[in-house]
Amino acid sequence: MEKKNKDAPGPTEIDAWARLQRASSAVLSRVETRLKAEGFPPLGWYDVLLELRKADGETMRPVDIEKRTLLAQYNVSRLIDRLMAAGYVEKLKAPEDGRGVVVRLTPDGADLLTSMWPAYRTAVEAEFGSHLEDGDAQAIWTVLGKLLP
């Protein structure tokens, strides 16, 4: 489907953009609140640890973690330092570049992911899934997929 005026978004697009931002922020905040109430760290911790687990025992450069999460580079660096201090990740020298670093999930980090998942799943269902009707999730997935590179 092609827009009629490619030069500028119309009022509907502007309203949809604003609503997308507000909804995303509100849902993320409510999920974070639920995780905190269960005694878990912030959602960003889960996201970084999950990406490292997906690496299947391999390491990842911080820039690759940044690309796969919703976090800005400066936040990723600080978060990795906090995760390392907590014993959930370890930093190693990059094998191909002695000046660079790579990050690897520790067994304690894998355990944290496992313990957080039930609370995270429940929070996502309560704050997102329970508000959708049949077909809504697929429609959202399809529309948002158009916005990704």
Side-chain angles (χ1 to χ4, degrees):
M1 183 186 306
E2 201 166 321
K3 282 181 54 177
K4 292 179 182 173
N5 179 357
K6 292 184 179 183
D7 295 333
T12 302
E13 287 89 356
I14 295 296
D15 288 347
W17 167 254
R19 181 175 271 196
L20 174 65
Q21 299 308 310
R22 285 192 307 271
S24 176
S25 179
V27 171
L28 283 171
S29 177
R30 292 192 309 259
V31 168
E32 285 261 4
T33 298
R34 285 175 173 268
L35 288 175
K36 186 176 181 180
E38 299 262 348
F40 289 115
L43 188 55
W45 288 44
Y46 184 89
D47 288 344
V48 169
L49 295 175
L50 181 61
E51 290 306 323
L52 288 167
R53 184 169 70 190
K54 288 178 186 178
D56 200 23
E58 299 296 320
T59 59
M60 290 180 71
R61 289 185 171 277
V63 68
D64 294 326
I65 294 170
E66 174 196 346
K67 289 177 185 174
R68 295 181 184 184
T69 63
L70 301 174
L71 304 168
Q73 189 276 329
Y74 63 90
N75 287 333
V76 169
S77 297
R78 289 190 299 216
L79 179 52
I80 289 170
D81 288 341
R82 287 192 297 273
L83 289 166
M84 192 173 80
Y88 298 131
V89 303
E90 58 185 348
K91 279 189 196 177
L92 308 164
K93 286 187 177 182
E96 65 280 350
D97 173 12
R99 293 178 295 157
V101 298
V102 292
V103 183
R104 181 170 55 201
L105 184 67
T106 66
D108 285 346
D111 289 346
L112 178 61
L113 267 176
T114 299
S115 66
M116 282 183 80
W117 172 240
Y120 185 32
R121 179 185 59 228
T122 299
V124 169
E125 173 56 28
E127 301 301 339
F128 179 72
S130 68
H131 300 278
L132 304 179
E133 297 175 8
D134 287 345
D136 285 351
Q138 180 64 45
I140 292 168
W141 185 85
T142 299
V143 170
L144 294 178
K146 294 177 182 182
L147 304 176
L148 296 173

